[in-house]
Amino acid sequence: MSIRERISGNEAIATAMRQINPDVFAAFPITPSTEIPQYFAQYVADGKVDTEFVTVESEHSSMSACMGAEAAGCRAITATSSAGLAFMYEMLWVVSSSRLPVTLACVNRALTGPININNDHSDSMGCRDAGWIQIYAENNQEAYDNYLQAMRIGEHKDVRLPVMICQDGFITSHAVENILLEDDDAVKAFVGEYKPENYLLKHDNPLAVGPYDVCPYYMEHKMQQVEAMKNAKQVILDVAADFKATFGREYGFFEEYLMDDAEIALVLIGSTAGTAKACIDKMRAEGKKVGLIKVRVFRPFPGEELAKALENCQVVAVMDKVEGFTNEGGPLYNETAAACINLNKRPKMINVVYGLGGRDITTTDIEKIYNHLYMIKETGEVKEHYLHIGQRSNVKEVF
């Protein structure tokens, strides 16, 4: 039986962690994820979990402790944001290449510099190719639900990869929303126990973790990671199907909002989907066939499925809440464009970078983007494909 609560996204994640009762939580605080280890430390003090709570001297040490714990056969978790995730960067690669399913709660925050504590996706997107599964949430409910599914995905024998569960800093992490929590016993039954086949403290099969890979082995090692990431797609869907059967809420690689007859569409990640949906409802009432795809799973990237969902659209704007500095667009745009390149009939496509450092975006802004897409539809011409919205400038904006 679901329990209705009013809590923040950070508390929702901490609650999921408490219900799972992991073996190790290695913690170092950084805004806006600090509340997660704070809540969890209270659970430890109150005897609500059996977790070994390791306070370390840095985020690099936090991920190192998680790696050691996982290598020893433990279920290990942590939480971080922004520069904290950047400080873990080396260890992110070591953990994924060692096939250790650490689960990390990433509360997205702009990367320094300049110093900024507000939300964009530059931290997790900066680690997008580190071999971690990445799943993003629109709201507090999704943050909680995604975390409950994470360990089932990462620990699966055909995957064995670390998982990053992302939510938007302050927008969801600190905002209080009504959500449904599940019963502790039901969560434990759904997530299950962690029973790795091989680990360092297993007496009868000595092994090495994170060894030096000479050139005759390194590429084969990487190909094993590639295959694991491919396998993760089906595992993500299987876990989501079981989650729906158990708790009634449905998830996939992405959510389609009024896409059945959409002529033009947006593709984006995270909490901005709520703003876009409000704009879509208004424009639909005016008779305009607009739609949205909210990407939930960024790694592994669901390219084939996303391309199929977009193939009947005429014009698409892919919105990135991070600057890629490529002069060709942000990471979500580049992935989406690559996925659509071989479609026999593909939409015209532009990139819109927005919200950097927490810059607000409104339904009016979203409507401007849709109107720009309608202009492209009518003229058949894309004058610029790499645009920004919301910045102050002496140059007149396109929108």
Side-chain angles (χ1 to χ4, degrees):
M1 176 69 71
S2 299
I3 305 155
R4 186 170 294 278
E5 274 285 2
R6 294 176 65 236
I7 56 177
S8 69
N10 278 345
E11 188 173 1
I13 289 288
T15 300
M17 290 174 169
R18 175 189 61 75
Q19 292 177 315
I20 293 166
N21 193 14
D23 299 304
V24 173
F25 189 148
F28 191 87
I30 183 168
T31 302
S33 65
T34 300
E35 284 185 328
I36 296 175
Q38 282 180 329
Y39 281 119
F40 201 87
Q42 192 63 56
Y43 301 147
V44 173
D46 293 342
K48 294 182 177 180
V49 292
D50 303 319
T51 307
E52 184 71 25
F53 190 76
V54 185
T55 54
V56 294
E57 70 276 13
S58 73
E59 291 88 355
H60 186 282
S61 300
S62 174
M63 188 51 63
S64 297
C66 286
M67 177 183 174
E70 284 279 353
C74 297
R75 182 176 268 166
I77 66 171
T78 189
T80 196
S81 301
S82 186
L85 186 61
F87 198 11
M88 291 179 178
Y89 188 74
E90 175 193 14
M91 293 307 301
L92 296 178
W93 292 78
V94 178
V95 167
S96 64
S97 67
S98 299
R99 306 294 295 280
L100 299 172
V102 174
T103 306
L104 184 153
C106 177
V107 184
N108 288 117
R109 166 189 152 186
L111 271 173
T112 301
I115 295 174
N116 182 291
I117 67 165
N118 298 305
N119 168 251
D120 65 28
H121 296 156
S122 53
D123 49 4
S124 58
M125 285 295 173
C127 304
R128 64 188 179 274
D129 296 330
W132 284 60
I133 293 167
Q134 288 191 347
I135 303 177
Y136 290 78
E138 176 187 344
N139 50 45
N140 301 8
Q141 184 72 64
E142 290 187 9
Y144 173 76
D145 291 351
N146 287 345
Y147 201 89
L148 295 187
Q149 296 174 64
M151 290 175 186
R152 284 274 302 273
I153 296 165
E155 293 170 1
H156 192 281
K157 64 181 179 62
D158 294 332
V159 179
R160 290 187 295 116
L161 291 175
V163 183
M164 196 178 296
I165 297 299
C166 305
Q167 64 168 320
D168 286 351
F170 296 108
I171 299 171
T172 62
S173 66
H174 286 63
V176 173
E177 294 180 352
N178 292 323
I179 76 168
L180 295 175
L181 300 177
E182 302 305 329
D183 177 76
D184 290 359
D185 291 338
V187 169
K188 285 183 173 63
F190 175 80
V191 175
E193 297 293 327
Y194 182 36
K195 297 178 180 179
E197 293 181 17
N198 301 296
Y199 50 93
L200 285 174
L201 298 183
K202 191 175 181 181
H203 183 268
D204 55 357
N205 68 327
L207 54 87
V209 174
Y212 175 61
D213 248 9
V214 292
C215 57
Y217 299 100
Y218 183 89
M219 190 164 180
E220 284 72 20
H221 193 159
K222 288 300 167 186
M223 286 305 300
Q224 289 177 3
Q225 289 180 256
V226 168
E227 290 305 312
M229 193 63 81
K230 289 179 180 178
N231 294 342
K233 288 185 68 175
Q234 187 58 52
V235 173
I236 288 167
L237 295 180
D238 290 345
V239 171
D242 192 23
F243 188 87
K244 180 183 178 183
T246 305
F247 301 121
R249 296 185 291 280
E250 185 171 5
Y251 291 96
F253 295 134
F254 48 80
E255 177 191 346
E256 298 182 52
Y257 190 74
L258 299 180
M259 284 294 295
D260 287 346
D261 63 343
E263 300 172 335
I264 62 174
L266 301 184
V267 178
L268 53 78
I269 285 174
S271 61
T272 305
T275 306
K277 289 172 183 176
C279 179
I280 290 168
D281 291 344
K282 172 182 177 293
M283 296 184 75
R284 281 278 177 170
E286 297 167 353
K288 297 175 181 177
K289 295 180 179 180
V290 297
L292 167 73
I293 292 181
K294 179 193 71 183
V295 174
R296 172 180 176 251
V297 178
F298 186 73
R299 285 289 183 270
F301 192 73
E304 182 180 354
E305 295 82 1
L306 184 57
K308 183 172 179 58
L310 292 172
E311 65 183 352
N312 293 321
C313 290
Q314 296 178 47
V315 192
V316 173
V318 183
M319 297 179 63
D320 274 286
K321 207 172 189 180
V322 55
E323 178 50 67
F325 301 110
T326 66
N327 290 343
E328 288 295 330
L332 182 59
Y333 170 77
N334 290 328
E335 299 275 3
T336 305
C340 293
I341 193 65
N342 289 321
L343 287 175
N344 292 326
K345 177 187 175 185
R346 62 177 181 266
K348 295 184 182 301
M349 193 173 293
I350 65 169
N351 184 219
V352 180
V353 177
Y354 75 101
L356 302 182
R359 182 63 55 88
D360 196 20
I361 187 160
T362 66
T363 53
T364 301
D365 296 322
I366 298 292
E367 188 167 7
K368 287 179 181 178
I369 296 171
Y370 276 123
N371 288 336
H372 185 69
L373 297 184
Y374 267 116
M375 183 190 71
I376 294 172
K377 174 179 175 290
E378 291 164 5
T379 63
E381 184 178 0
V382 178
K383 293 181 179 179
E384 295 180 70
H385 71 277
Y386 171 46
L387 305 169
H388 294 71
I389 190 169
Q391 79 281 4
R392 293 192 300 274
S393 172
N394 291 328
V395 179
K396 187 179 184 299
E397 285 195 2
V398 173
F399 301 98

